[in-house]
Amino acid sequence: MGDVRWNNKSWWRCITQRKQDIADSFAHGFCAEAKFQQKLVQERRRADRAGKPLLVMVIAAGSVAKDEGQLFLPSLANMLRGCLRETDIAGALGEEGIGVILTEVAAEKIPDAKRVVATKVREMLEAKYGEALAGRVAIAFRIYPETGGDDDAFDMIFYPDITSDSIGKSTGMVVKRVIDLAGAVMSLLLLAPIFVIVPLAIKFTSKGPIFFIQERYGLNGVKFRLFKFRSMFVNNDDLIHRQFVKQLIDGSIDEGEDTVYKITSDPRVTAVGKLLRAYSLDELPQLFNVLKGEMSLVGPRPPIHYEVENYSGWQRNRLIGKRPGITGAWQVSGRSSTTFDEMVRLDLHYLRSWSVMLDVKIILLTPFVVLRCRGAY
């Protein structure tokens, strides 16, 4: 029995020492995953303030690490120290392996930096581990702010702080989804007469389809098709709205009563469309987007692609972590009569302070705001 205890203790000391060896290997200029995520958030915010891009190299070596053992990644990390600058920040990056924040790389220098760093790392990998093993290690680069991946979704590697918050509220998110489904079904039943009257009014007063379908950015930048009742003439030029959105985001439109998210006296809007917009009836088909799981009853409004193209980094944060909504914080605060930056700040405040009761409050306030037609065009 004594031998068994001694063996168990020896085994535990061996495991503890192995973990310490790994920790020591990562300690010299290499961050543990939690620390690296903190650094990544800091650099993302610094990039937002400076209006500069952020370049991150990702070395995916998960499959190699499984075959070669726990010490492979620390060994790889030590190797990287020989080809990185003192200002670069390296650290563990989940199952993908290792991440390296390449700091202070100007936008015009990014292509050269990617080529030079990738070549140097690849050469060192082959020299240390041989071509066969080095060939199994993938090297990729991520740029912030920039869309990429499937459906132009945002790269969530840059948002560990926001995604971790969302995971922490998973129970509340289930409740939110239940409210969405129940609210959408009840609304469709109660508003069924409107879904008969409005299509007839649209069809008899202007040529074109009943529904207007447009691609929008949703949760984490994933695109989806948004449904609305058509409120405009068909085949109209969206240049007027593109220019307006750009000026609004740039802040070149003077703040005040005329600074709105929608264009006042828009010549593209039909007579019926003006009435629909005044009471936000054109938004009702988005209840089907809610049922499909693409939207929520409450959340940030889903933007158009040419709006996102003009976003700065911090403004993109309004799309991270929550589904877009039919109504939201800025709608009940002023609807369209709100400056763009203020709208974004209201959305970000909503995301940070989200709760089920906050959603309920916004849902209850929405009908009163709609009936007053305040800020609707």
Side-chain angles (χ1 to χ4, degrees):
M1 188 69 178
D3 290 338
V4 173
R5 286 199 203 97
W6 187 89
N7 288 335
N8 285 340
K9 289 180 180 178
S10 299
W11 174 83
W12 179 250
R13 281 198 299 269
C14 180
I15 294 297
T16 303
Q17 184 60 48
R18 186 173 180 82
K19 289 182 177 179
Q20 186 61 47
D21 290 342
I22 294 173
D24 290 341
S25 297
F26 277 74
H28 302 290
F30 197 87
C31 302
E33 185 173 9
K35 185 67 174 178
F36 183 73
Q37 288 181 343
Q38 292 177 6
K39 294 289 186 181
L40 192 54
V41 172
Q42 291 174 2
E43 292 300 321
R44 186 195 78 210
R45 291 172 177 169
R46 184 176 288 115
D48 287 343
R49 291 193 297 270
K52 296 180 180 179
L54 174 61
L55 180 63
V56 173
M57 176 174 63
V58 177
I59 301 177
S63 61
V64 181
K66 289 179 181 178
D67 295 341
E68 298 297 318
Q70 286 182 303
L71 292 177
F72 176 76
L73 287 181
S75 172
L76 180 58
N78 287 331
M79 183 211 74
L80 284 174
R81 291 166 56 197
C83 59
L84 298 178
R85 302 168 301 172
E86 290 185 3
T87 56
D88 295 332
I89 304 168
L93 192 62
E95 297 179 357
E96 291 191 273
I98 293 174
V100 180
I101 303 172
L102 302 168
T103 61
E104 300 299 327
V105 179
E108 64 274 11
K109 298 291 185 180
I110 285 179
D112 290 338
K114 289 166 62 176
R115 184 181 66 257
V116 171
V117 174
T119 300
K120 194 170 184 179
V121 171
R122 181 63 64 189
E123 289 175 350
M124 294 187 72
L125 281 169
E126 292 176 355
K128 185 175 179 65
Y129 302 110
E131 289 187 11
L133 191 146
R136 296 170 57 194
V137 178
I139 301 173
F141 292 88
R142 313 284 185 85
I143 302 173
Y144 173 88
E146 186 175 285
T147 57
D150 296 338
D151 298 320
D152 286 333
F154 294 165
D155 196 336
M156 298 311 296
I157 191 177
F158 293 108
Y159 303 92
D161 52 332
I162 300 176
T163 51
S164 62
D165 287 345
S166 298
I167 293 171
K169 297 178 179 177
S170 57
T171 303
M173 295 306 294
V174 172
V175 176
K176 180 178 175 68
R177 182 60 183 151
V178 171
I179 293 174
D180 284 343
L181 291 173
V185 171
M186 290 177 60
S187 298
L188 287 170
L189 292 174
L190 291 173
L191 301 173
I194 294 179
F195 279 87
V196 175
I197 297 171
V198 170
L200 291 175
I202 293 172
K203 203 65 180 175
F204 289 143
T205 57
S206 63
K207 294 181 180 180
I210 294 171
F211 294 103
F212 173 71
I213 301 174
Q214 188 178 53
E215 192 174 69
R216 297 287 185 102
Y217 279 83
L219 174 65
N220 300 335
V222 176
K223 292 179 180 178
F224 71 99
R225 300 205 311 163
L226 176 138
F227 305 128
K228 298 180 73 172
F229 282 128
R230 181 174 60 84
S231 60
M232 294 184 179
F233 296 105
V234 295
N235 299 323
N236 61 73
D237 189 357
D238 65 359
L239 180 61
I240 183 176
H241 191 251
R242 285 175 178 266
Q243 293 174 339
F244 175 79
V245 166
K246 187 177 188 306
Q247 291 174 347
L248 184 63
I249 295 174
D250 290 344
S252 55
I253 296 178
D254 293 334
E255 294 187 9
E257 291 298 323
D258 294 330
T259 305
V260 294
Y261 191 59
K262 294 179 181 177
I263 304 171
T264 57
S265 303
D266 192 336
R268 302 171 301 163
V269 179
T270 65
V272 170
K274 290 178 181 178
L275 180 63
L276 295 179
R277 288 185 167 205
Y279 292 97
S280 297
L281 297 177
D282 58 323
E283 311 283 355
L284 291 181
Q286 290 162 41
L287 291 168
F288 294 108
N289 290 116
V290 174
L291 291 177
K292 292 175 66 178
E294 297 163 335
M295 293 182 65
S296 174
L297 292 178
V298 182
R301 286 298 297 155
I304 310 170
H305 69 90
Y306 55 78
E307 178 183 329
V308 177
E309 289 171 0
N310 289 286
Y311 278 6
S312 58
W314 75 276
Q315 291 167 339
R316 288 170 178 252
N317 294 345
R318 65 182 291 269
L319 302 175
I320 306 297
K322 293 286 187 297
R323 292 185 181 91
I326 298 177
T327 186
W330 72 269
Q331 287 93 329
V332 299
S333 298
R335 296 183 74 198
S336 295
S337 299
T338 306
T339 64
F340 184 78
D341 279 355
E342 181 62 23
M343 183 200 77
V344 175
R345 291 189 183 97
L346 286 169
D347 282 339
L348 294 178
H349 177 72
Y350 165 80
L351 295 174
R352 287 193 297 266
S353 59
W354 176 84
S355 68
V356 172
M357 290 309 300
L358 179 58
D359 272 10
V360 172
K361 179 181 177 181
I362 292 173
I363 290 171
L364 294 177
L365 285 173
T366 298
F368 297 99
V369 176
V370 169
L371 291 175
R372 288 201 302 268
C373 300
R374 182 161 58 93
Y377 301 95

